[in-house]
Amino acid sequence: KAAAAPRQGGARAIAREAPGNGLILRAIISQGLELARSLNTDEAWTRLDMRSFLQSVADDHADVGARVSLEDNVQGASPVVVPARPLCLRRCLDNLITNACIYGGSARIGLAQEGGNVVVTVADEGPGIPEDMLERVFEPYFRLDSSRNPSSGGIGLGLAIARNMALLNNGEIRLRNRA
């Protein structure tokens, strides 16, 4: 009579027992770690030209087939320079643009100046978010469409990570539906 091998705990045991869940489990672990990393950074501040930066972000998304455009509404041709942590800011924008493309078909990145602030917008043509959920979607693991399979999309951390990355740049994210 063969003795049963002791069960190993953790992710490998779960993935072995349910091979179809391995990718989902990896996604959950990976995004959970990304959320934890989004709470602080030792990335150095640098002076960043937002025009060039946003064009680069838009080009990167377009290169992989996303429908992305950039609308520069700042007067004049001089650089729009801000202090920023570029990797954190890129991650923030990547999450917002990816969501816009998935749920709204495309993303329009806007650059504007309002008073002394530089404002970056990401707009889409999606159905919008119920008004009472506009803040809730930033909660970790919250998803509007709870029936979606995490292997075909996120697990509800993208907007939480985006908000944390904006905060690490002394910025903020506000959602609103089109009028």
Side-chain angles (χ1 to χ4, degrees):
K1 187 173 184 180
R7 285 184 70 170
Q8 290 182 337
R12 286 190 178 150
I14 294 170
R16 237 187 346 271
E17 291 172 15
N21 290 335
L23 291 177
I24 295 169
L25 184 61
R26 281 191 210 109
I28 291 169
I29 291 169
S30 174
Q31 290 184 20
L33 291 171
E34 194 64 36
L35 176 64
R37 284 191 291 265
S38 74
L39 296 172
N40 61 53
T41 185
D42 35 345
E43 181 182 1
W45 289 91
T46 187
R47 295 179 48 77
L48 187 65
D49 175 7
M50 290 301 291
R51 283 187 158 129
S52 298
F53 181 76
L54 292 176
Q55 187 63 62
S56 172
V57 170
D59 290 345
D60 288 349
H61 282 270
D63 286 348
V64 296
R67 290 181 34 218
V68 178
S69 62
L70 175 61
E71 299 171 2
D72 185 342
N73 297 310
V74 177
Q75 298 296 318
S78 57
V80 179
V81 178
V82 298
R85 293 174 160 146
L87 296 176
C88 290
L89 186 56
R90 179 173 285 272
R91 179 61 198 269
C92 172
L93 291 168
D94 285 345
N95 285 6
L96 295 172
I97 293 165
T98 298
N99 276 7
C101 291
I102 289 171
Y103 300 108
S106 63
R108 285 185 322 281
I109 305 167
L111 176 63
Q113 283 186 303
E114 295 177 8
N117 296 317
V118 172
V119 178
V120 177
T121 57
V122 177
D124 63 44
E125 296 300 321
I129 297 171
E131 291 293 323
D132 62 333
M133 298 289 177
L134 287 174
E135 233 1 82
R136 189 136 188 246
V137 295
F138 289 107
E139 294 174 13
Y141 302 104
F142 179 81
R143 292 173 22 171
L144 285 174
D145 182 1
S146 60
S147 66
R148 270 189 47 231
N149 182 339
S151 66
S152 64
I155 59 170
L157 293 178
L159 290 176
I161 291 169
R163 177 168 270 178
N164 290 345
M165 293 294 174
L167 291 170
L168 289 173
N169 272 285
N170 293 330
E172 63 182 55
I173 295 179
R174 286 180 272 160
L175 296 180
R176 70 172 184 219
N177 293 312
R178 290 182 311 281

